[in-house]
């Protein structure tokens, strides 16, 4: 009979209607997972890009800072911190006691002649110039008459240091030189004075040894006791 067949057909139709829903729901689930994965990967890539940009900015800033510091140090090393040569100058020389040098026949050998030299050392550096004992030598007829040492001193930064060198000469030292007789007749005494200084300039980590030499030749007028025709030759080495 036909009535009992209706339920089976209804069940079959309902099954046919339900079966296609399972694959559809599965596809929707897969699509959602793929969307989540793609979003997660995008966020990771974005974070990596941000970190990369941050690293590039930090490296750029460090590089620019380093280059700037190097440039500043180089500029300072060749300007402010560059060790410059100190200069030396003979301001004046005075002779006292030359009146005893009248003639070789009336020469008093038991007296002294005092020589006073006024010397300036100009330090143009940004640090002090410390030097050891300076050696000053008085020369007559290519012979050393007397040699003295002046105490160690310190020429301050961008200052001029002045020192007075006093030299005492025994007349008997001069009387032993044959040329003295002719020079007394001419009333002129050619002499020379040399000064040698060695020291050091230290600017931060930069250290330089400085050597200064000055040799002044002159003619001493025995009548006026004045110094004339003075010519000083200087040499400064770093």
């Amino acid at each position: 009979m036909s009535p009992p067949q209706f339920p089976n057909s209804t069940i079959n139709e309902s099954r046919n209607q339900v079966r296609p829903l399972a694959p559809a729901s599965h596809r929707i689930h897969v699509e959602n997972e793929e969307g989540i994965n793609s979003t997660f990967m995008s966020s990771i890539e974005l974070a990596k890009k941000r970190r990369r940009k941050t690293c590039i900015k930090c490296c750029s800033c460090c590089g620019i800072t380093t280059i700037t510091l190097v440039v500043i140090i180089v500029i300072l090393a060749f300007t402010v911190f560059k060790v410059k040569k100190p200069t030396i100058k003979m301001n004046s020389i005075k002779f006292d006691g030359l009146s005893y040098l009248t003639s070789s026949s009336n020469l008093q050998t038991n007296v002294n002649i005092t020589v006073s030299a006024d010397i300036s050392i100009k330090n143009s550096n940004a640090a002090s110039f410390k030097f050891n004992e300076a050696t000053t030598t008085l020369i007559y007829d290519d012979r050393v008459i007397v040699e003295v040492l002046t105490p160690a001193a310190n020429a301050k930064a961008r200052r001029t240091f002045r020192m007075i060198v006093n030299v005492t000469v025994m007349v008997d030292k001069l009387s032993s030189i044959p040329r003295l007789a002719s020079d007394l007749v001419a009333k002129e005494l050619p002499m020379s004075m040399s000064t040698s200084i060695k020291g050091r300039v230290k600017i931060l980590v930069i250290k330089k040894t400085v050597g200064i030499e000055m040799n002044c030749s002159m003619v001493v007028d025995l009548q006026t006791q004045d110094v004339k025709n003075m010519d000083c030759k200087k040499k400064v080495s770093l």
Side-chain angles (χ1 to χ4, degrees), residues 15 26 192:
R15 286 180 181 178
H26 180 69
S192 63

Side-chain angles (χ1 to χ4, degrees), residues 101-159:
L101 298 178
T102 54
S103 64
S104 58
S105 60
N106 192 24
L107 190 63
Q108 301 181 34
T109 58
N110 59 343
V111 296
N112 298 333
I113 298 174
T114 303
V115 184
S116 180
D118 183 3
I119 301 174
S120 295
I121 300 174
K122 184 178 180 180
N123 179 23
S124 301
N125 291 288
S128 299
F129 169 48
K130 298 180 180 180
F131 55 90
N132 303 322
E133 292 180 335
T135 304
T136 301
T137 306
L138 189 66
I139 302 171
Y140 173 61
D141 195 25
D142 295 330
R143 301 185 187 185
V144 176
I145 303 302
V146 64
E147 185 176 83
V148 296
L149 296 176
T150 55
N154 181 17
K156 295 182 179 180
R158 297 188 176 94
R159 294 290 187 274

Side-chain angles (χ1 to χ4, degrees), residues 73-85 123-127 158 201 203 206 208 238:
I73 291 173
V74 170
I75 292 174
L76 292 176
F78 283 95
T79 54
V80 179
F81 297 144
K82 182 181 179 180
V83 179
K84 303 174 184 177
K85 294 181 178 180
N123 179 23
S124 301
N125 291 288
R158 297 188 176 94
V201 176
I203 303 177
I206 303 174
K208 284 287 186 179
L238 289 177

Side-chain angles (χ1 to χ4, degrees), residues 10-22:
T10 304
I11 292 172
N12 291 333
E13 289 178 356
S14 62
R15 286 180 181 178
N16 292 333
Q17 292 176 355
V18 172
R19 283 177 185 175
L21 295 177

Side-chain angles (χ1 to χ4, degrees), residues 157-169:
R158 297 188 176 94
R159 294 290 187 274
T160 299
F161 177 80
R162 294 184 66 178
M163 61 180 183
I164 306 297
V165 181
N166 294 316
V167 179
T168 301
V169 182

